[in-house]
Structure formats: structure tokens, C-alpha cells
């Protein structure tokens, strides 16, 4: 809803708090110096909505319009012009009592307002003539004295003059239990295959076998010599045969004993 502004002058708002642009108290002088005078109009979000608009209760101001003149005139302000002034800042003009208005009268043309940054409490303003600046009068009040400011709806939350940064979410503390050292695994014995390894008996040495054969041959030769001697002396042939068998048996036993000794 757009409210229409109503004409007013400084004398129509004697109760309105004066002072603006950093000057603690307003200058009531309406004298026009050479070079003419101009009026500039600003809107701002009040610091405390329950208190009337004033320089200490103002925040960053937004320039609405300016014109040549020497008196306060509130006709130029509408809800549309106020909203257009704050669009670039991403604000919405809503909330009765939350917005203030300021008008400054300066010595000089409208370019004083258009070519300079808008005031911002407490350190930024165009400057009062008492300190070498162009402002010689100023006025503050509530915007909804001249414009019907709508309520803020659910889709448009009420703006805040000093938005607080959202508190950082606390970083969750994760308790980490100390790692339990793993038990040293018990070595597992290799399963028995059930097969008993049998060591092969070492092969008899060729040298040992040769020695045994040589010995046997020697024994046979000796036996034959003994038989011949018996035959020459007239011994019975049976005795020679028995002796030969005994020699052969002895040779066999000797051969077995030698093989066992070589195996050990």
C-alpha cells in the first residue's frame, strides 16, 4: 500500500527533533546566502524503533531526492520512492515505526546531495556550515508520519538496524577411544600329514664293496690252496668240500658285516 505524502514545513513540525549530518543540534537559520539553497531527503532504518527518528538514532541513510529550495517539504517522499532508495541495499521498507526520515538544507545546488555519499551515523556526513560545510538546517522524524508503512509479512521479515552475524555452530568434539593393541596371534602348528618320513639307507660305498670282494677272492684262493695241499697229502675229498663251504660261509658273513659297518 502506498501512502501519499503531505506538505509540511519546518514550522509545522516544531516538535520534531532537529539536528542532522553530525551536528548535535540543528541550526534554525533560514537565511539564504548567495549561490542559492537546496534540500535533500533521506530515509533510514532506526536503531531503536520505539524512539523518534534522530541523528543518534539513525543508521546508514539512503538518498531519495533533492530539489532547490529553502524550506522542508515532504511531498516528494512516497513508499515507492523510499523503497527505490533502499533497493540496492536489499532492504524492504516495512514495519511501522522502524523507519526514519531526514532533510538537510544546504547552501548550493542539488549536486551537493547527488555527488556526495549519504550520511551514516556517527562519522559520515556532508558537513555543517559552522565547520566549513554547506548544511545550515536539518530535520529528523518518522517516515510513517508522511507515508503508510506496511507491516512486514512472513515472506518479508522485519529488517534489523544492526544485524548480528549468526553464531558459528560449535564444532562437535568427537571422543576417540585409544586403539586397543591387537593380541599377538599364537602361531599355529602346521598340521601333521600323518606320514613318517623314512630316511633312505645310504648306498654302500663302492670302495667298501670292492674291498669285500677282494677279500672274498683272497679267501677263496687260500681255500683252494688249502684243498690242494690236503689233496696232495691224501686227505679225503669230503674234507676239502666242507672246508670250501665253510670258507664261502665265512666270506658271506664277512660281506654282511662290512656292509652294515659301511651303512653306519
Amino acid at each position: 500500500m502506498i501512502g501519499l505524502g503531505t506538505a509540511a514545513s519546518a514550522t509545522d513540525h516544531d516538535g520534531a527533533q532537529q539536528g542532522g549530518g553530525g551536528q548535535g543540534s540543528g541550526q534554525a537559520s533560514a537565511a539564504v546566502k548567495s549561490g542559492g539553497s537546496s534540500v535533500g531527503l533521506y530515509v533510514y532504518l532506526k536503531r531503536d524503533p520505539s524512539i523518534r527518528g534522530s541523528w543518534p538514532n539513525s543508521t546508514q541513510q539512503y538518498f531519495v531526492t533533492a530539489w532547490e529550495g529553502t524550506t522542508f517539504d515532504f511531498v516528494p517522499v512516497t513508499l515507492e520512492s523510499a523503497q527505490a532508495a533502499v533497493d540496492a541495499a536489499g532492504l524492504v521498507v516495512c514495519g511501522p515505526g522502524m523507519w526514519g526520515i531526514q532533510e538537510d538544507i544546504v547552501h548550493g545546488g542539488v549536486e551537493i546531495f547527488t555527488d556526495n555519499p549519504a550520511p551514516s551515523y556517527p562519522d559520515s556526513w556532508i558537513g555543517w556550515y559552522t565547520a566549513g560545510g554547506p548544511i545550515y538546517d536539518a530535520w529528523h522524524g518518522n517516515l510513517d508520519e508522511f507515508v503508510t508503512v506496511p507491516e512486514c509479512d512472513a515472506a518479508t521479515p522485519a529488517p534489523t538496524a544492526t544485524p548480528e552475524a549468526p553464531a558459528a555452530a560449535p564444532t562437535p568434539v568427537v571422543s576417540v577411544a585409544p586403539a586397543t593393541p591387537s593380541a599377538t596371534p599364537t602361531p599355529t602348528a602346521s598340521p601333521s600329514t600323518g606320514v613318517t618320513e623314512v630316511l633312505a639307507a645310504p648306498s654302500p660305498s663302492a670302495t667298501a664293496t670292492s674291498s669285500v670282494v677282494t677279500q672274498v677272492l683272497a679267501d677263496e684262493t687260500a681255500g683252494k690252496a688249502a684243498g690242494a695241499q690236503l689233496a696232495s697229502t691224501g686227505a679225503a675229498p669230503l674234507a676239502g668240500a666242507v672246508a670250501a663251504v665253510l670258507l664261502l660261509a665265512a666270506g658271506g658273513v664277512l660281506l654282511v658285516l662290512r656292509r652294515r659297518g659301511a651303512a653306519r
Side-chain angles (χ1 to χ4, degrees):
M1 181 181 295
I2 299 175
L4 298 177
T6 58
S9 66
T11 56
D12 294 330
H13 297 276
D14 291 337
Q17 179 168 348
Q18 294 182 339
Q23 183 79 3
S25 59
Q27 300 295 320
S29 171
V32 179
K33 296 186 178 181
S34 60
S37 295
S38 299
V39 184
L41 188 151
Y42 303 92
V43 294
Y44 56 85
L45 191 63
K46 294 192 299 182
R47 293 178 180 273
D48 186 348
S50 65
I51 301 176
R52 186 179 180 82
S54 65
W55 175 242
N57 196 29
S58 66
T59 58
Q60 174 63 56
Q61 300 190 27
Y62 302 93
F63 175 71
V64 177
T65 187
W67 61 94
E68 293 182 353
T70 60
T71 58
F72 299 107
D73 188 352
F74 300 93
V75 172
V77 64
T78 65
L79 182 61
E80 287 180 336
S81 63
Q83 182 59 56
V86 302
D87 274 342
L91 299 175
V92 176
V93 178
C94 64
M98 298 187 66
W99 293 86
I101 187 172
Q102 172 174 320
E103 284 195 356
D104 290 338
I105 303 178
V106 299
H107 299 300
V110 295
E111 67 275 2
I112 294 177
F113 299 103
T114 58
D115 294 349
N116 287 284
S120 179
Y121 180 84
D123 299 324
S124 177
W125 63 86
I126 296 175
W128 281 82
Y129 80 95
T130 53
I135 300 176
Y136 67 86
D137 207 352
W139 183 92
H140 284 264
N142 291 337
L143 177 62
D144 47 11
E145 293 178 27
F146 312 101
V147 171
T148 301
V149 179
E151 295 285 349
C152 298
D153 55 29
T156 307
T160 56
T162 55
E164 296 181 359
T171 303
V173 178
V174 180
S175 299
V176 180
T180 303
S182 57
T184 304
T186 303
T188 304
S190 301
S192 174
T193 60
V195 179
T196 303
E197 182 178 2
V198 179
L199 298 177
S203 300
S205 171
T207 303
T209 303
S210 177
S211 299
V212 173
V213 172
T214 302
Q215 183 64 40
V216 171
L217 292 177
D219 292 341
E220 288 180 352
T221 302
K224 288 180 180 181
Q229 184 176 1
L230 289 174
S232 62
T233 57
L238 180 61
V242 171
V245 171
L246 291 175
L247 287 174
L248 289 174
V253 172
L254 181 62
L255 178 61
V256 171
L257 292 176
R258 287 180 177 276
R259 287 185 177 180
R260 286 184 178 180
R264 293 178 183 177

